[in-house]
Amino acid sequence: QVPLVESGGGLVQPGGSLRLSCVDSGRTFTTGTMGWFRQTPGKEREFVAVRRWSFGTTLYADSVKGRFTMSRDNEKKTLYLQMNSLSPEDTATYFCAATNKGLITSTIRFPSNYDYWGQGTQVTVSS
């Protein structure tokens, strides 16, 4: 399995910003599908932002659209999630995920279709 390592989580006040990073040490960074998911206690893991690299756009969850931006640095093999205008509802453990598969619209949102996961980084939004 390809190791993924997230970082950048922490405690932030409402309205603040954080940038999460995910380093992919494998060779498939620019192929397949990759993205960010989050999970809170008692709830299933949900997608935040995902992208099939062969497509030209990123799919964002409605709850974060306009506030979060996913990007990548090919040289550093790093995936980023810039999170702005954070609210307490964004509090969760955030995971990056990847698969060598080129996922389609009907499957790209679901965690079960991803093969590689990081350990998670905690984001807490509180005053």
Side-chain angles (χ1 to χ4, degrees), residues 44-116:
E44 295 185 351
R45 194 167 299 183
E46 63 180 8
F47 95 98
V48 175
V50 291
R51 181 169 183 160
R52 176 174 172 172
W53 297 128
S54 61
F55 292 169
T57 59
T58 300
L59 178 65
Y60 294 95
D62 289 341
S63 59
V64 307
K65 195 173 300 181
R67 299 187 298 120
F68 291 10
T69 303
M70 188 172 76
S71 61
R72 70 178 184 179
D73 186 318
N74 292 339
E75 182 179 358
K76 296 180 179 179
K77 301 189 68 175
T78 301
L79 186 73
Y80 300 99
L81 183 67
Q82 178 66 46
M83 305 185 295
N84 299 325
S85 301
L86 287 164
S87 70
E89 288 69 35
D90 296 312
T91 296
T93 303
Y94 285 72
F95 301 86
C96 66
T99 177
N100 292 331
K101 301 186 295 289
L103 300 179
I104 60 177
T105 303
S106 61
T107 60
I108 197 169
R109 304 170 182 236
F110 299 100
S112 61
N113 292 303
Y114 293 79
D115 304 304
Y116 311 113

